[in-house]
Every structure is written in structure tokens, then in C-alpha cells.
Amino acid sequence: MDFHDIDIVYEDNHLLVVVKPAGVPSQADEEGDDDMVTLLKRYREENEGKTGEAYIGLVHRLDRPTGGVMVFAKTSKAAARLSESIRNGDFEKVYLCTVCNPPEPPQGELRNYLKKNERTNNVSVVPMTTASAKEAILQYKTLETKQGFALLRVKLETGRSHQIRVQLSHIGSPLFGDRRYGGNPATFKHQLGLWATRISFPHPTLEQRMTFLVYPPIVSPWKAFNVPIYLNGFSF
């Protein structure tokens, strides 16, 4: 992938807000494919005429198969302040999900304890007393159902690895296209039904809140639903 293909939503001296395509890793991994940090460093080097390696601070991540909006820091000061906002719970992340089997009830909060198997990279719901287990909290709301699938809006209260995928699978509503956590095999040829649609956070140097909303691409599974009517002026 070329950095010219990255959609830049917003940029100033401290921030880059971009759309991560599904299938591109947030940072370098063992597979060696181009990742967002590397691509954005190249973008800065060319766009700003920088000599040497440009700075890009990764302050939050999206799984490789997940697409959507991300913010990257252009300065270490911005990276530190954005990371602080995340720790303080002042960094809001909202996702769209397409799931197999509409959840019951159609709206609610999920609280589980999760543990990651570092060898397999799988995450599981475990008892609270399990060593190294971390609490995971999200809110979900069903927006539309169609032919055994559902479009959900999910707001994360915590940011655990594979959290949305694991918690929704645990209640019997695995994500469309999710091979790892029990999605319907008939959906595996399509994009994973998980899209980071909205982020909101305090600007690291300005006295203002920044909010960005990005629509998913018009491909399966998103094209099956009337996504725009649920994003325009929504409140959770």
C-alpha cells in the first residue's frame, strides 16, 4: 500500500486524523506488511520535506481487519497528552458493528473479564478471579436488523484487545466475517463487520474538543444497511 492512498481527515502541527483501511496493521507486525505508522512517517517525510525519520506517535490501535478513524500524534507532547486522555477516560470511541444473530436484549451494557493467550493471540472471557484478567466494558445498541444480521452501534468504556469481537461473540452475536471468534462461515469472504466510526478527545494543545465521524465504505456488510440515517446527529 502507498501512503498516497491514506485518507487524511484532519491535520495540524500536533495531530493527524486518518482513515485506516481494513486489512492494514496499525503498527509493524511479524508479517512485515506496510503499517499505518510507517505509511504516515513516509507521508510526513514527503509532505513536509523532512530529512531523516519523521515522528509519528501511536496512541491507540485498531485490529488489522478493522477499518475506521484513528488519530496519530506528530509530536511527543501531543502523544503524551492524548495518552493521558485515554487513561482518564476522556477519549471517546464509537464503532459500527454488523453481527450474526441480533443480540438480546437489543440494547445494553456488557461487562466481562478478558484474558489474552499470547501464544495464539486469542482473547477469552474468563472469571473475574483469573490471574491477569482485565475488565472490559462496552455499551451497544441495535440500529437495524435484516435477514438474521444486525447493525449495532458500540461505545467502548475500556480498550481491551479484541474486546468488541470477544464480548459480542460471548452473547451469541459474533461479528460478520469474524473467523477467529465464531462468525458465520458464509461471511468470511467479506470485510470484518467492525468499523471505528467516531472518535472524540480534547485537543492536546488547544482549549477545544475534537470530534471526527467517518462512514464505512459502501461494501458488504455495510451496504446492506442504511448507515447514514444512524450517524447524522446521533446520540448513544
Side-chain angles (χ1 to χ4, degrees), residues 98-119:
T98 300
V99 298
C100 310
N101 308 321
E104 287 296 337
Q107 181 172 352
E109 179 179 86
L110 301 181
R111 288 177 174 262
N112 302 106
Y113 282 82
L114 306 183
K115 184 170 182 177
K116 185 174 184 178
N117 183 321
E118 298 296 341
R119 182 179 60 82

Side-chain angles (χ1 to χ4, degrees), residues 5 52 58 60 90 116 131 140-141 146-147 152 154 174 179 182 221:
D5 299 323
L58 179 70
H60 67 119
D90 202 18
K116 185 174 184 178
Y140 72 89
K141 181 178 182 180
K146 183 174 289 187
Q147 298 178 343
L152 312 184
V154 170
R179 293 173 179 269

Side-chain angles (χ1 to χ4, degrees), residues 62-136:
L62 294 177
D63 292 346
R64 177 191 278 258
T66 306
V69 62
M70 293 185 71
V71 58
F72 293 84
K74 293 173 65 176
T75 64
S76 56
K77 178 180 181 179
R81 291 187 176 178
L82 287 169
S83 296
E84 183 180 11
S85 295
I86 293 172
R87 288 192 299 271
N88 294 340
D90 202 18
F91 190 109
E92 182 183 87
K93 292 179 281 188
V94 178
Y95 294 75
L96 288 177
C97 304
T98 300
V99 298
C100 310
N101 308 321
E104 287 296 337
Q107 181 172 352
E109 179 179 86
L110 301 181
R111 288 177 174 262
N112 302 106
Y113 282 82
L114 306 183
K115 184 170 182 177
K116 185 174 184 178
N117 183 321
E118 298 296 341
R119 182 179 60 82
T120 64
N121 200 36
N122 280 357
V123 178
S124 303
V125 173
V126 296
M128 179 178 65
T129 54
T130 303
S132 303
K134 295 180 179 179
E135 188 176 25

Side-chain angles (χ1 to χ4, degrees), residues 146-187:
K146 183 174 289 187
Q147 298 178 343
F149 298 94
L151 178 69
L152 312 184
R153 188 162 62 234
V154 170
K155 182 179 179 182
L156 283 182
E157 301 296 337
T158 56
R160 309 306 182 196
S161 181
H162 298 185
Q163 176 178 342
I164 295 173
R165 299 165 68 181
V166 175
Q167 289 191 278
L168 289 176
S169 178
H170 186 66
I171 63 169
S173 298
L175 265 63
F176 182 101
D178 197 345
R179 293 173 179 269
R180 186 181 294 264
Y181 295 111
N184 185 330
T187 69

